[in-house]
Amino acid sequence: MSVAIAGAAECDLGKTGKTVLELQTQAVTRALADAGLTLADVDGIATNGISRFSATQIADYLGIQPFWCDSTFEGGAVFEMYVARAAQAIAAGQCSTVVISYASNQRSARSRNLTGVYTEGTPEASWEEPFRPLYPISYYAMVAQRYLHVHGLRRADLAGVAVAARARAQRNPAAWTYGKGPLTVDDVLAAELISSPLGALDCCLVTDGGGAIVMTSLDRARDLPREPVTVLGYGEKLTHTSMTSAADLLRTGAIDTGQRAFARAGLRPSEIDVVQLYDSFTISVPLGLEALGFAAPGEGLGVTVPHNTTGGGLAYCHPGQFGVLLLVEAVRQLRGECGERQVPGAATALVHGTGGILSSHATLILGVDRR
Amino acid sequence: MIVIQKCLACDRWQHPGRPICLTCGDAENLGDAPVTGNGNVDSFTVVHRAAAPYIVARIRLVEGPIVLGHLADNPEPRCDQPVRFVHRDPLPVWIPGHHHPPSTRSR
Ligand SMILES: [Zn+2]
């Protein structure tokens, strides 16, 4: 049985003054309204980041008693993982309508913590924490340093990623930096260095925000108001949690997740119309696009495939785990709803989520069931 | 002296230490053994969000494993730079250049 995404929505973004559960409620109810469904239709829930029992918490809050849930916690990649699991659960008949949602109020709550949380008894608490790397920035910084070294590039080259993200956000009224004008390479280079070579403008935003998508069978989605977005392929991989595990900082799990997703979808990178890639830091964009097959190693900064059309985590919104908003934008692009930032005729989308310190990866390939 | 876990069954080093060898699966012949204290900077970052900036690096030991540490006495750190382990208070550091000849004793 084929499975589809029938609804998608953002909650309020930016600095909202709302609680996580209020934002989650907005995301879920807006996505259901978009799908032409109600809470009474929902029998599956996937979410995290609310409390110890996140799925139960949101289910209780919304008055739902679902037959299926997932609260896997693997950072920003997990929303793409939820899509694969929900597709399997719907195809297997365990549930019929799943809502995948996430929200954070980290800007309003001032809850972002740069030093991370080391758990006593883990190797990282003994062998990493004493040296005080910032988490996750210092890991991405070491990846960036290695990337620049191996490919003979400079900080200014990476800065172009932030400049491009800001430019794209000027076509997205929902973006945090919308209307704030362009950024220059010099602006990025002049920003406060956080963990070299990454400065403040190489890092994703800290905002409130979130979103939700609604999944159901393709047959059912065809009777609903929106063009169904079909799940064509997926792949996921966990590679490490320690900063010293990766033998090669530049070979990430995205290489395998991309290959698995493309194989399942029967597509190649040249057949993808638009990419939504988790841009936690500037380095994430070229590295990710290379790993996914859109550019050769070292050439990701010159990639031409349309990507991160919202402005991404660098310029649109970054509520801690950005993966759910990658899904929302991919759905909107495939339905042709994106106005000034629409990629004309987009019929295939690749979504790639990343969690932790490039620790977890998940790739999805989506299509659209045109009426 | 710096020690790293070694599996005597397959003669491979691993870090951090674990109760099983990830190469051969042996759990009976693991122990800490001294290494040369020589390595190369795989990558590094200067942490500026601090009272005094410091350099965190991934150091690839010549024996193979990668460890996290601080670089010191190093005005121009770079990837692939040879470094050696020395004791400092309160934390050991890695300074430019290898021990010559490689020795299991650090100065
Ligand atoms: Zn062994």
Side-chain angles (χ1 to χ4, degrees):
Chain A
M1 176 171 57
S2 295
V3 175
I5 301 172
E10 297 150 309
C11 64
D12 289 355
L13 311 176
K15 188 167 182 181
T16 63
K18 292 188 161 61
T19 68
V20 170
L21 281 166
E22 287 167 348
L23 292 172
Q24 280 257 10
T25 304
Q26 283 184 338
V28 172
T29 54
R30 289 176 188 175
L32 285 167
D34 182 61
L37 297 170
T38 71
L39 283 169
D41 295 301
V42 178
D43 61 0
I45 283 276
T47 190
N48 72 31
I50 306 173
S51 63
R52 284 180 65 214
F53 298 89
S54 288
T56 316
Q57 188 88 56
I58 189 67
D60 186 331
Y61 199 74
L62 298 175
I64 300 169
Q65 297 187 345
F67 298 125
W68 177 89
C69 78
D70 193 345
S71 286
T72 304
F73 187 86
E74 288 297 339
V78 82
F79 300 92
E80 287 67 42
M81 297 179 183
Y82 290 156
V83 172
R85 288 156 173 64
Q88 292 158 5
I90 292 166
Q94 187 175 352
C95 56
S96 65
T97 307
V98 171
V99 173
I100 296 172
S101 66
Y102 172 78
S104 162
N105 64 351
Q106 64 170 358
R107 188 169 193 96
S108 297
R110 297 175 161 275
S111 56
R112 188 77 186 173
N113 176 353
L114 273 186
T115 48
V117 180
Y118 286 93
T119 304
E120 195 180 334
T122 61
E124 292 75 37
S126 301
W127 298 104
E128 294 182 14
E129 189 174 18
F131 302 107
R132 294 175 291 142
L134 304 181
Y135 186 99
I137 300 177
S138 290
Y139 189 82
Y140 282 90
M142 289 191 286
V143 173
Q145 191 75 256
R146 184 83 202 162
Y147 185 86
L148 298 181
H149 173 78
V150 167
H151 299 302
L153 299 169
R154 299 166 305 137
R155 270 196 80 206
D157 297 312
L158 269 188
V161 174
V163 170
R166 175 70 72 91
R168 286 191 291 269
Q170 303 317 301
R171 298 191 289 274
N172 178 10
W176 178 255
T177 64
Y178 179 74
K180 292 188 178 167
L183 207 57
T184 67
V185 166
D186 285 343
D187 292 335
V188 180
L189 296 180
E192 178 200 2
L193 270 175
I194 309 290
S195 192
S196 74
L198 301 180
L201 293 176
D202 289 283
C203 303
C204 56
L205 304 167
V206 176
T207 66
D208 300 357
I213 62 164
V214 180
M215 293 179 64
T216 191
S217 69
L218 177 58
D219 282 349
R220 182 143 171 265
R222 283 177 171 149
D223 295 330
L224 296 173
R226 304 294 186 191
E227 277 184 325
V229 166
T230 49
V231 180
L232 302 179
Y234 44 77
E236 68 184 55
K237 190 174 189 187
L238 309 180
T239 54
H240 61 269
T241 184
S242 160
M243 292 195 178
T244 58
S245 291
D248 183 345
L249 288 172
L250 306 185
R251 286 188 62 82
T252 71
I255 296 171
D256 282 336
T257 63
Q259 285 175 358
R260 292 174 80 89
F262 277 116
R264 191 175 276 266
L267 292 172
R268 291 168 301 171
S270 61
E271 295 172 295
I272 297 295
D273 296 324
V274 61
V275 173
Q276 304 298 334
L277 169 80
Y278 200 141
D279 56 339
S280 42
F281 301 92
T282 47
I283 180 61
S284 313
V285 176
L287 194 69
L289 291 171
E290 291 166 21
L292 294 164
F294 293 100
E299 294 176 8
L301 289 167
V303 83
T304 53
V305 66
H307 60 279
N308 295 10
T309 41
T310 54
L314 291 168
Y316 152 59
C317 179
H318 190 270
Q321 295 177 86
F322 187 53
V324 75
L325 288 170
L326 299 172
L327 295 169
V328 171
E329 177 69 1
V331 168
R332 290 174 170 173
Q333 285 285 342
L334 292 170
R335 291 176 181 168
E337 297 173 347
C338 291
E340 210 187 332
R341 69 177 190 277
Q342 177 66 42
V343 175
T348 55
L350 180 144
V351 183
H352 185 79
T354 306
I357 50 172
L358 294 164
S359 308
S360 57
H361 293 263
T363 306
L364 277 181
I365 296 175
L366 303 174
V368 60
D369 188 58
R370 296 259 189 249
R371 301 258 156 100
Chain B
M1 189 171 76
I2 174 174
V3 297
I4 294 285
Q5 189 180 49
K6 190 175 192 182
C7 172
L8 298 177
C10 72
D11 211 32
R12 295 286 287 268
W13 304 87
Q14 68 180 12
H15 176 80
R18 298 165 167 85
I20 184 169
C21 171
L22 300 187
T23 301
C24 75
D26 190 276
E28 308 300 324
N29 297 284
L30 296 158
D32 287 342
V35 290
T36 56
N38 286 338
N40 296 290
V41 175
D42 178 64
S43 192
F44 68 95
T45 177
V46 184
V47 177
H48 291 267
R49 216 15 108 78
Y54 51 92
I55 312 172
V56 175
R58 274 176 30 121
I59 293 119
R60 194 183 297 271
L61 305 181
V62 296
E63 288 81 4
I66 296 167
V67 301
L68 206 67
H70 281 165
L71 302 184
D73 306 343
N74 198 337
E76 289 185 12
R78 57 182 173 80
C79 295
D80 298 335
Q81 182 183 31
V83 289
R84 65 183 185 272
F85 178 89
V86 294
H87 285 288
R88 290 275 167 87
D89 190 42
L91 283 170
V93 297
W94 298 80
I95 64 174
H98 280 171
H99 294 291
H100 289 296
S103 95
T104 56
R105 292 180 51 210
S106 57
R107 288 160 290 176

